[in-house]
Amino acid sequence: MSLQVKFEDLGLIDYKKAWDYQEQIFAEYLQLKAINRDIPGEKQTEIEGKVIFCEHPHVYTLGKSGQQNNLLIADEFLRKINATYYKINRGGDITYHGPGQIVGYPIIDLERFNLQVKQYIANLEQSIILTLEQFGIKSERLTGATGVWLDTNIPGKTRKICAIGVKASRFITMHGFAFNVNTNLEYFNYINPCGFVDKGVTSMEKELGQKQDINQVKEILKKKMEEVFGMNF
């Protein structure tokens, strides 16, 4: 049986505004979970959860375990390329968000789905892998790293198409994934993506040789997430 989850597409939205919105929902769910602990099961309020899709204006975000020196440019150059920068509370190192990239923020209760964090991340990866498969792009996981990659067995050609960095507290999740569809990849030149210096970055547009209908990609991705997680939007 699929579990009902709310879905919202925020379109193009400022990173901080979306982060604040996530934090608000995250805090509400944590509070509800704390209340539920003191209530008999049949009287508990179910945490339905919400999956958010959006795009951001040019922005770099550094995870709590990330290294500042993986941002290769100074503040003045950030302003020149119309980009902003935030240190945030997810796992992982530095990444870039920008127009043409599907950013997904699932805010769900993993216990409702009988998931541990490791399997949750694997499910996110699998949803992207199955989406890319629909477009004839073969992708996979990379041992020792999160995200979705291409040509993992070819040294010098391994490249990431989707970054993943999450936060979880009491099994409530926030943050999520950044899936390059029509992303301007030049912006990755100014960072060591996810801390890697020996691996590249790619997008669906680059792999397929033309811009993709991002709304079509979103619809397929939603279906794949429903299948993989056993959820229903």
Side-chain angles (χ1 to χ4, degrees), residues 10-102:
L10 300 177
L12 184 67
I13 183 172
D14 174 76
Y15 183 83
K16 183 64 165 61
K17 189 173 180 181
W19 186 14
D20 288 345
Y21 183 50
Q22 276 193 87
E23 290 279 12
Q24 175 191 330
I25 299 168
F26 183 73
E28 288 172 3
Y29 288 173
L30 282 178
Q31 184 179 28
L32 186 55
K33 195 155 191 182
I35 292 169
N36 279 344
R37 278 206 307 267
D38 301 322
I39 298 174
E42 69 276 5
K43 294 185 178 180
Q44 291 181 1
T45 302
E46 187 173 58
I47 298 172
E48 191 174 34
K50 176 175 276 193
V51 172
I52 297 168
F53 281 4
C54 64
E55 296 176 60
H56 294 306
H58 306 298
V59 59
Y60 296 101
T61 66
L62 182 71
K64 59 187 179 183
S65 59
Q67 300 296 314
Q68 175 76 37
N69 59 6
N70 283 321
L71 177 66
L72 307 177
I73 54 178
D75 290 349
E76 185 178 343
F77 195 79
L78 272 174
R79 289 190 290 272
K80 184 178 178 182
I81 61 174
N82 296 315
T84 52
Y85 167 74
Y86 292 96
K87 292 186 74 171
I88 62 173
N89 57 353
R90 61 161 170 78
D93 208 287
I94 197 164
T95 197
Y96 160 77
H97 301 304
Q101 181 188 72
I102 300 173

Side-chain angles (χ1 to χ4, degrees), residues 72-219:
L72 307 177
I73 54 178
D75 290 349
E76 185 178 343
F77 195 79
L78 272 174
R79 289 190 290 272
K80 184 178 178 182
I81 61 174
N82 296 315
T84 52
Y85 167 74
Y86 292 96
K87 292 186 74 171
I88 62 173
N89 57 353
R90 61 161 170 78
D93 208 287
I94 197 164
T95 197
Y96 160 77
H97 301 304
Q101 181 188 72
I102 300 173
V103 180
Y105 297 130
I107 311 171
I108 61 173
D109 182 357
L110 295 183
E111 289 186 315
R112 185 176 179 230
F113 291 89
N114 295 312
L115 290 173
Q116 298 292 321
V117 173
K118 187 175 180 180
Q119 185 58 50
Y120 166 64
I121 291 172
N123 281 9
L124 291 178
E125 292 167 340
Q126 186 65 13
S127 300
I128 300 293
I129 289 168
L130 292 175
T131 299
L132 288 167
E133 195 176 86
Q134 294 294 298
F135 293 86
I137 299 174
K138 183 181 182 300
S139 61
E140 55 204 321
R141 297 178 180 87
L142 178 66
T143 303
T146 59
V148 178
W149 302 76
L150 277 62
D151 290 333
T152 60
N153 59 343
I154 304 177
K157 289 200 172 182
T158 303
R159 54 206 185 277
K160 179 182 277 191
I161 198 165
C162 180
I164 292 176
V166 304
K167 173 185 176 180
S169 178
R170 296 182 202 152
F171 291 96
I172 303 292
T173 64
M174 64 177 289
H175 297 297
F177 61 84
F179 178 21
N180 295 327
V181 180
N182 300 317
T183 316
N184 182 345
L185 299 178
E186 286 185 14
Y187 278 79
F188 286 98
N189 294 335
Y190 309 125
I191 60 173
N192 293 323
C194 301
F196 289 104
V197 296
D198 60 341
K199 293 176 177 61
V201 180
T202 192
S203 67
M204 290 183 67
E205 178 184 8
K206 183 174 181 180
E207 296 300 320
L208 297 172
Q210 60 184 4
K211 279 196 180 296
Q212 300 300 301
D213 181 342
I214 197 167
N215 290 321
Q216 180 191 18
V217 179
K218 285 178 182 178
E219 287 305 311

